[in-house]
Amino acid sequence: ILALALGVAMAFQPSARLAPRSTRLQMSSSSEDSMPAMAAATAAAAVLAAGMASPAHAITAEERAQLSYLQVKGTGLANRCSEVKGQDTLNIKSGAKLVDFCVEPKAFFVEETATTKKGEMKTDFVATKLMTRQTYTLDGISGSLKDEGGKIVFTEEDGIDYAPATVQLPGGERVPFLFTMKELVAKGAQSGGFKPGYEFGGSFKVPSYRTGLFLDPKGRGMATGYDMAVALPGLQTGEEGDAELFNENNKVFDVLTGSAEFEVQNVNAADGEIGGVFVSAQPSDTDLGSKEPKKILLKGLFYGKVEQ
């Protein structure tokens, strides 16, 4: 019981510091009577190690506030949105704001078109493998809440509202995209306050994955670099054939549009917290206008705190 309690208590400690990579158990062959004690000690150590190496789970904002930097470091908790406990109803007053808004994607899909055995073209979303480390969650987002015709409208204004990420398709192709909620304007689907089952959603802006100072492998950029591929002057004379490289030579900073839908599942009216699930659709990177963007579908969790 003591070992189990220690395992639970150490669940949020950095595994790199506290869990040694190997443990040597030296047992004496002459003392057979100590075998039960050694077995019990080994079992206790296994329980303790399992507690230290367990993956980070979502915790409430109150529990997170009690952890120090070293307790969070290396556990993955910094990439997790807080969870909310409660099934209350939270009405919005005039001048309210939504702060600490956090969006954590759990699944990533890319729209792909493939040919079936019958020779028909079929478009579907394909599950992908995330290639980015645990730095893809949006957090600290804030914005205003107002009532329009009895429906809540959230307007995003500030915070960490973008994060570059890359996913890999089953065939090995990697798709970079800028996960974002910039300038999100989400309107409630029904009247009333936040409560379990309440839905709201809207559109947002998706800036370019790269900025104007980026240089491609041939040294071309939007604000700096070469104007054309220096090794291929014959294909860039402005005559026939120039169209093939036109988009790659003329870089543009694309600002596209995405959309997101949120469903509230838990509400803590005492602390003004809401939490639930979301689904968003947005375009991928266009390589500064030289490629057609793919459609990205993300599903995950969100958290927010209402200040009023």
Side-chain angles (χ1 to χ4, degrees):
I1 298 177
L2 177 60
L4 181 59
L6 287 174
V8 175
M10 302 297 288
F12 298 111
Q13 295 291 336
S15 58
R17 287 174 173 263
L18 300 177
R21 293 185 177 181
S22 62
T23 303
R24 297 181 181 179
L25 297 177
Q26 299 179 353
M27 295 184 294
S28 174
S29 58
S30 61
S31 56
E32 297 181 356
D33 296 338
S34 63
M35 290 298 293
M38 293 295 292
T42 304
V47 172
L48 180 60
M52 290 186 291
S54 61
H57 299 285
I59 60 175
T60 64
E62 182 179 0
E63 294 169 340
R64 185 193 299 270
Q66 298 173 4
L67 300 178
S68 67
Y69 168 77
L70 292 178
Q71 288 175 312
V72 174
K73 180 182 177 181
T75 64
L77 284 175
N79 195 53
R80 301 287 188 270
C81 292
S82 302
E83 67 177 4
V84 180
K85 297 180 180 179
Q87 299 289 313
D88 306 326
T89 298
L90 182 60
N91 295 316
I92 303 302
K93 300 178 182 179
S94 177
K97 295 191 67 176
L98 184 63
V99 299
D100 296 335
F101 188 55
C102 176
V103 185
E104 177 190 352
K106 293 286 191 180
F108 306 81
F109 303 88
V110 175
E111 188 178 49
E112 282 284 274
T113 301
T115 305
T116 63
K117 295 181 179 180
K118 297 181 180 180
E120 301 175 351
M121 301 297 291
K122 182 180 179 181
T123 301
D124 199 2
F125 283 95
V126 180
T128 62
K129 178 183 178 181
L130 181 66
M131 307 304 296
T132 305
R133 293 186 177 185
Q134 297 190 17
T135 57
Y136 50 83
T137 293
L138 309 182
D139 198 6
I141 298 175
S142 61
S144 61
L145 291 170
K146 58 183 179 179
D147 189 312
E148 289 187 1
K151 299 180 179 180
I152 300 174
V153 177
F154 168 64
T155 304
E156 189 268 343
E157 297 172 350
D158 198 5
I160 305 175
D161 53 10
Y162 69 93
T166 301
V167 294
Q168 181 173 290
L169 293 168
E173 179 185 359
R174 294 188 176 181
V175 182
F177 66 99
L178 190 72
F179 176 46
T180 180
M181 290 286 169
K182 277 187 173 295
E183 301 181 19
L184 170 68
V185 179
K187 186 175 183 179
Q190 64 266 21
S191 58
F194 288 121
K195 59 184 178 181
Y198 187 87
E199 297 179 357
F200 62 103
S203 60
F204 54 86
K205 299 295 183 183
V206 183
S208 174
Y209 179 84
R210 296 186 173 98
T211 60
L213 296 179
F214 172 79
L215 297 178
D216 67 10
K218 297 187 182 299
R220 298 168 297 188
M222 187 176 71
T224 185
Y226 294 110
D227 294 332
M228 62 179 66
V230 179
L232 301 171
L235 295 178
Q236 303 161 94
T237 60
E239 304 296 333
E240 295 183 4
D242 187 46
E244 183 179 353
L245 298 175
F246 181 82
N247 289 337
E248 294 188 14
N249 290 336
N250 297 273
K251 308 292 187 182
V252 293
F253 188 90
D254 291 319
V255 179
L256 306 177
T257 304
S259 61
E261 297 291 333
F262 302 85
E263 181 182 347
V264 178
Q265 293 186 334
N266 300 93
V267 179
N268 183 347
D271 296 330
E273 297 177 329
I274 62 173
V277 296
F278 83 95
V279 177
S280 72
Q282 67 168 80
S284 68
D285 173 41
T286 65
D287 200 10
L288 292 175
S290 63
K291 298 178 181 178
E292 287 295 325
K294 296 179 180 292
K295 189 173 184 180
I296 309 291
L297 183 69
L298 304 101
K299 301 179 180 180
L301 308 175
F302 79 91
Y303 165 87
K305 186 173 183 178
V306 179
E307 286 187 351
Q308 54 186 354

